[in-house]
Amino acid sequence: MPDLLRLALEQLEAMPPSIWLRRSGTLYLLVNAAHIGSIGLLIGSIVPLDLRLLGLLRPGPLAVLAPVLARTAAAGLALAVLTGAMLFGVRPLEYLQNPAFLVKMGLLGAGALNAWAVRRGRAWARVLDQGRASGAMRAQAGASLLLWLGCLVAGRWIGFL
């Protein structure tokens, strides 16, 4: 690991929020619970949205469901990133040496990029206007489903390595 990165991570570990989390089992528990809850919010929103976009779930009109589920998933992602960063600060050097953590971060980045591409693409506007998903949108929904579920599995894998 480069010295500059090691120094930055040691500084992160020495910051007050990281120290507070290490010293308080209750605070760590609450932040960890918030992280798990936010992951539940993300996965609980993105899975039905992706399944609906794939045509495997038909509970209601896509043009109505898609914006609500997408916003809820975005809120879950934002909270998961915030709480995850706080948890990372407790032991950053150890996490960066954990292959499951690296896989999780790669999948998280790919999932976020895919979500960004969906929101920027014409196919999303078509979903909102016409309530139908194109072939490209279905492919992105399938990729989303695999990326986010893979991220979830990799996150649980961290504790086993």
Side-chain angles (χ1 to χ4, degrees), residues 110-131:
L113 282 174
N114 184 58
W116 178 82
V118 165
R119 292 287 288 155
R120 293 290 182 194
R122 288 187 213 140
W124 182 252
R126 187 176 306 127
V127 165
L128 299 180
D129 291 340
Q130 301 170 4

Side-chain angles (χ1 to χ4, degrees), residues 53-110:
L53 290 168
L54 287 166
L56 300 174
L57 184 65
R58 299 219 180 258
L62 188 53
V64 173
L65 291 173
V68 173
L69 291 173
R71 282 192 301 271
T72 305
L77 177 59
L79 186 56
V81 169
L82 175 65
T83 56
M86 292 172 70
L87 295 170
F88 175 76
V90 172
R91 295 188 329 250
L93 293 167
E94 290 178 39
Y95 281 119
L96 282 184
Q97 294 174 352
N98 187 320
F101 177 80
L102 299 176
V103 168
K104 177 184 175 179
M105 292 299 101
L107 291 170
L108 187 143

